[in-house]
Amino acid sequence: MAKPVLRKPKKKANPLKAAKVENIDYKDAALLRKFISDRGKIRARRVTGVSVQEQRLIATAVKNAREMALLPYSSSSR
Amino acid sequence: MRQYELMVIFDPELDERSVPETLDKFLTVITKDGGTIDNIDHWGRRRLSYEIKKKAEGTYAVATFTCEPATSKELDRQLGLNEQVLRTKLLRTNA
C-alpha cells in the first residue's frame, strides 16, 4: 500500500506584519481590500495567511466597512 | 463615561461646507450632557460602494467623543431621524 504523501502546507508570510498594522480598523478600506476577493467576498484564512484572531478582526472590520459603503457587498463582475 | 466613535454619511445634496456646522449641531447633545468631543474628522465627499437611498455619493464625517451610554444612544437616535443623514455607525473604541 502506498503511503499517502503528506504535504507540508507552505507557511504564508503574515501580510499584516508586512504592512506593520497593529489594530485593524474598518475605516482603512485600502487595507481591507487585500482581504476580499475581486467579487467582494472575504478571503479564507488559508489564503490570507493571518492568525485566527486576526482573521476574526478582519472579518468584522470588513462587515462594518460594508455597512458604511466603504466596501462592496458584491461586485458585479459577471 | 465611555469612548465612542461615530461615522456619519450625509446626503450629497447637502452642501459640503455646511456639513461641519450640521454635525456640530448634533454633537451639542454630548457637550450638554457633560461629555467631551475629542476629535472630528471630515473626509469630504466619497463614492459609495453601492447606492444608499438612490445616492451614489455621500459626505463622510468621523467623530470620537467621550460620554455616557445613554447620551450616545440619544445622539444616534436623533441622527437616524434626520433626512440629511444617509447612514450612521456608532462604535465603542478601546472596548
Side-chain angles (χ1 to χ4, degrees):
Chain A
M1 210 171 96
K3 229 177 170 185
V5 188
L6 285 174
R7 264 202 293 167
K8 236 190 200 150
K10 211 176 132 204
K11 196 134 190 307
K12 288 215 178 57
N14 189 326
L16 288 174
K17 276 212 184 96
K20 289 197 173 64
V21 181
E22 268 131 40
N23 45 346
I24 296 150
D25 191 0
Y26 77 98
K27 296 193 293 299
D28 192 356
L31 172 77
L32 295 176
R33 272 188 194 279
K34 289 181 193 161
F35 299 102
I36 61 171
S37 71
D38 45 4
R39 304 219 51 185
K41 295 163 112 185
I42 300 172
R43 287 217 170 99
R45 202 167 73 83
R46 65 169 179 276
V47 181
T48 57
V50 297
S51 76
V52 177
Q53 291 83 354
E54 286 164 341
Q55 177 74 15
R56 200 150 52 203
L57 292 173
I58 289 166
T60 44
V62 168
K63 285 165 191 174
N64 274 334
R66 279 178 184 164
E67 278 192 57
M68 295 312 278
L70 299 172
L71 294 177
Y73 277 104
S74 67
S75 313
S76 51
S77 51
R78 255 191 287 175
Chain B
M1 298 285 242
R2 278 178 176 160
Q3 283 198 328
Y4 293 95
E5 184 188 277
L6 174 79
M7 187 190 263
V8 191
I9 309 179
F10 287 101
D11 195 306
E13 277 159 32
L14 183 69
D15 191 11
E16 208 170 317
R17 278 162 298 177
S18 64
V19 165
E21 203 183 315
T22 318
L23 185 64
D24 278 348
K25 220 178 283 165
F26 282 115
L27 293 178
T28 49
V29 184
I30 292 163
T31 43
K32 221 187 286 167
D33 280 7
T36 49
I37 293 153
D38 305 321
N39 191 37
I40 298 177
D41 191 8
H42 290 284
W43 288 15
R45 195 159 291 190
R46 272 181 68 112
R47 257 196 84 76
L48 303 175
S49 291
Y50 50 88
E51 287 192 356
I52 300 175
K53 287 190 194 164
K54 312 279 177 204
K55 309 265 163 56
E57 285 186 325
T59 315
Y60 282 73
V62 181
T64 50
F65 51 84
T66 318
C67 71
E68 297 294 341
T71 316
S72 66
K73 218 174 166 185
E74 170 63 14
L75 173 69
D76 202 31
R77 188 189 73 87
Q78 285 183 12
L79 285 165
L81 291 173
N82 196 298
E83 293 277 312
Q84 288 166 332
V85 176
L86 288 186
R87 203 160 281 194
T88 62
K89 185 171 274 296
L90 184 69
L91 289 177
R92 264 182 73 186
T93 49
N94 333 322

